[in-house]
């Protein structure tokens, strides 16, 4: 089972590398996502706690940053464009035989290059939803659960309570999962499959530095947009005053 999982992971990586310029270029994009996640999360923590408070509660801050990086990077990797390589056997070979063909043959990115029908491209938004929801909930549970655990440890050690209010674990976890499915899924697919693969990379093929700068710029813009939407969503659902800053960077 472990060896099979490792083989699938390697194949998944090769398929994503095949759809971009090189393994280094794909790593660059993932590092950007991780960096933006950490930066936005740190900014949210500093805004909420202040510099002095952040240092006093560095354990909470680090838990939030690690959670944000994990969720943001996984979402970007999951919906990155792919291309068939030796051993992949096509998308349909990776799914159960009872799965409808238009879903089984859906690309990992709705906008990626290739001869796909409209139904297949629409299915690309649906197929990753369960895994994105699961990973989002897992990241939310990890971050908020870690905060709750740290609060208990602080109380036992007499280190004092957290500067942040208590987190409603279930609503915050479900919100994070749904956000990855709806907002992160759609914006990352459009960015990676349309803006980068169809516009930036072909136009800057002879100038890698310019291409990487544009990719960094557009990914920064997407991250800021997603974080702004996340905050508005928390306000709409009445979670803004309750949910800790860990919700900001995962987007």
């Amino acid at each position: 089972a472990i060896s099979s999982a490792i083989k699938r992971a390697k194949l998944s990586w090769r398929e994503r590398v095949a759809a971009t310029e090189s393994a280094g270029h794909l790593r660059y994009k993932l590092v950007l996502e991780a960096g933006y996640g950490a930066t936005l999360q740190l900014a949210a923590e500093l805004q909420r706690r202040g510099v002095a408070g952040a240092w006093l509660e560095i354990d909470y801050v680090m838990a939030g940053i690690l959670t944000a990086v994990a969720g943001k990077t996984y979402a970007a990797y999951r919906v990155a464009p792919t291309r068939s390589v030796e051993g992949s056997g096509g998308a349909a070979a990776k799914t159960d035989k009872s799965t409808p063909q238009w879903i089984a043959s859906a690309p990992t990115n709705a906008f990626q290059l290739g001869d796909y029908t409209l139904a297949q491209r629409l299915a690309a938004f649906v197929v990753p939803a369960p895994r994105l929801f699961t990973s989002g909930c897992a990241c939310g549970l990890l971050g908020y659960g870690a905060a709750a655990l740290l609060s208990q440890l602080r109380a036992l050690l007499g280190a004092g309570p957290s500067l942040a209010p208590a987190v409603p674990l279930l609503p915050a976890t479900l919100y994070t999962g749904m956000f990855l499915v709806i907002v992160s899924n759609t914006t990352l697919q459009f960015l990676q499959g349309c803006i980068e693969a169809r516009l930036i990379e072909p136009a800057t093929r002879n100038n890698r530095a310019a291409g990487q700068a544009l990719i960094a710029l557009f990914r920064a813009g997407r991250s800021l947009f997603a974080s702004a939407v996340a905050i508005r969503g928390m306000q709409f659902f009445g979670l803004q005053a309750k949910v800790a800053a860990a919700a900001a960077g995962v987007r």
Side-chain angles (χ1 to χ4, degrees):
I2 296 178
S3 61
S4 178
I6 293 175
K7 287 181 180 179
R8 287 196 301 270
K10 288 182 177 180
L11 178 60
S12 173
W13 175 259
R14 286 169 52 214
E15 289 174 333
R16 283 161 174 76
V17 169
T20 188
E21 295 178 359
S22 64
H25 194 56
L26 179 58
R27 281 193 291 267
Y28 170 74
K29 295 179 180 180
L30 296 177
V31 168
L32 280 177
E33 290 297 330
Y36 289 143
T39 301
L40 288 172
Q41 181 62 37
L42 179 59
E45 296 284 0
L46 292 175
Q47 182 180 17
R48 186 174 187 82
R49 305 172 191 273
V51 176
W55 277 113
L56 286 173
E57 299 194 329
I58 191 65
D59 46 358
Y60 288 98
V61 174
M62 290 306 300
I65 289 176
L66 292 176
T67 300
V69 169
K72 195 174 183 68
T73 306
Y74 175 78
Y77 178 81
R78 183 67 183 83
V79 300
T82 56
R83 185 178 299 166
S84 294
V85 296
E86 183 180 356
S88 63
K94 305 172 193 176
T95 55
D96 188 83
K97 298 300 182 182
S98 62
T99 304
Q101 181 63 24
W102 63 280
I103 292 181
S105 58
T108 57
N109 187 291
F111 303 96
Q112 73 182 48
L113 298 172
D115 187 16
Y116 298 101
T117 65
L118 178 60
Q120 288 173 317
R121 293 188 182 279
L122 290 176
F125 291 108
V126 179
V127 172
R131 290 188 178 181
L132 288 174
F133 179 75
T134 302
S135 64
C137 288
C139 288
L141 184 62
L142 176 64
Y144 301 128
L149 177 61
L150 289 171
S151 292
Q152 294 296 325
L153 289 176
R154 281 175 171 270
L156 289 174
L157 297 174
S162 169
L163 297 178
V167 177
L169 191 60
L170 181 59
T173 298
L174 294 177
Y175 181 84
T176 303
M178 288 305 300
F179 196 95
L180 258 65
V181 170
I182 298 172
V183 179
S184 297
N185 185 16
T186 54
T187 58
L188 281 168
Q189 288 210 38
F190 180 73
L191 173 66
Q192 297 184 127
C194 185
I195 300 298
E196 292 178 355
R198 293 180 178 270
L199 298 177
I200 295 178
E201 290 169 354
T204 60
R205 188 160 285 120
N206 296 325
N207 191 340
R208 173 168 290 190
Q212 290 183 337
L214 286 172
I215 287 173
L217 179 64
F218 274 90
R219 286 189 178 251
R222 190 216 70 86
S223 294
L224 290 171
F225 169 77
S227 293
V229 173
I231 293 172
R232 293 294 182 268
M234 288 188 288
Q235 292 173 339
F236 178 81
F237 289 109
L239 299 173
Q240 179 64 40
K242 302 175 183 178
V243 177
V250 180
R251 324 306 169 191

